[in-house]
Amino acid sequence: MKLKKRQIRLLVTLLIAALGALSVLTTPAKQQITQAVQTQNPGLYQVDHAVDGDTIVVKSGDKTETVRFIGVDTPEEKDRRKPVQCYAQQAADFTKQQVENHQVRLEADSQGDNRDRYGRMLRYVYLSDGTLLNKKLVEDGYGFAMTGFPFSKMSEFQAAGQQAQAQRKGAWGSCTISMATGYPQTNPL
C-alpha cells in the first residue's frame, strides 16, 4: 500500500500530537518531542531569554546563539554610553512576554548579511502563531523600521511604522522622537 504525501503529513502530525501528550508525563519524552518537532520543522528554536526589545538568545541543542531582529530598532536600555531611552523598558518587556519560554522560527533574509558587526545572527523572528515579531514591534510602536541596511521586507516595515506614527501607537504617543541622527532618539514627552 502506497501512502500519499497528504497521508504521510497527517500521520506525522498525529505522531507529534501523540508524543506531545506523552511529554506531560516525563521530561525525557518532552526532549524527544522537541527534537522530533525540530526535525519536522527546521528553524524552530527554544528561546533562552530576551536581551532587550530587538535581541534574543536562543538554544540549539547545548549551544546558545544571540539573534538580532532584522529591520527593527527598539529604544536602548542597556547602552552604557547613554541614558535609557524613552519606551525602552516597554519594548523589552513586550519582547520578553512574546518569546520567553517559547519556541520561535528564525528566518534569514536573502538581501542582507547573515551576521552583524557584533557577530549576532540577523533573523526574522516568527512566533508560534505565525506572527512576524520584527514587524509587530514596528506596528505597535515598540520599535522603528531600521532602513540603514537592505532587507526584503523594508517597504512593509516602513508602512507599518508610518501607520503606528499616524495612530500615535507606543513610543509615538509617549515620547518625543527625533530622526536627525538616522536612528530614532527618544525622550519622554
Side-chain angles (χ1 to χ4, degrees), residues 53-56 67-74 105-116 120-126 132-138 143-154 157-158:
D54 54 31
T55 307
I56 60 175
V67 178
R68 174 66 169 81
F69 298 4
I70 295 172
V72 62
D73 190 25
T74 61
R105 184 172 59 86
L106 302 177
E107 183 179 293
D109 188 284
S110 60
Q111 289 186 14
D113 294 329
N114 191 44
R115 294 193 181 266
D116 68 6
R120 301 175 295 189
M121 282 180 30
L122 297 171
R123 295 291 185 268
Y124 293 113
V125 178
Y126 289 89
L132 175 54
L133 183 56
N134 313 44
K135 184 177 175 185
K136 180 82 171 147
L137 287 163
V138 175
F144 310 92
M146 182 188 287
T147 58
F149 303 95
F151 63 101
S152 61
K153 299 179 186 303
M154 186 182 295
F157 283 35
Q158 287 175 316

Side-chain angles (χ1 to χ4, degrees), residues 48-69:
D48 185 63
H49 67 279
V51 175
D52 58 23
D54 54 31
T55 307
I56 60 175
V57 175
V58 296
K59 292 187 228 179
S60 179
D62 59 352
K63 183 180 173 187
T64 60
E65 186 78 56
T66 302
V67 178
R68 174 66 169 81
F69 298 4

Side-chain angles (χ1 to χ4, degrees), residues 35-46:
Q35 290 173 348
V37 169
Q38 286 179 336
T39 300
Q40 293 300 316
N41 298 301
L44 282 183
Y45 293 87
Q46 181 65 40

Side-chain angles (χ1 to χ4, degrees), residues 19-32:
L19 290 174
L22 290 174
S23 71
V24 175
L25 302 174
T26 65
T27 301
K30 186 175 183 179
Q31 291 171 345
Q32 290 173 346

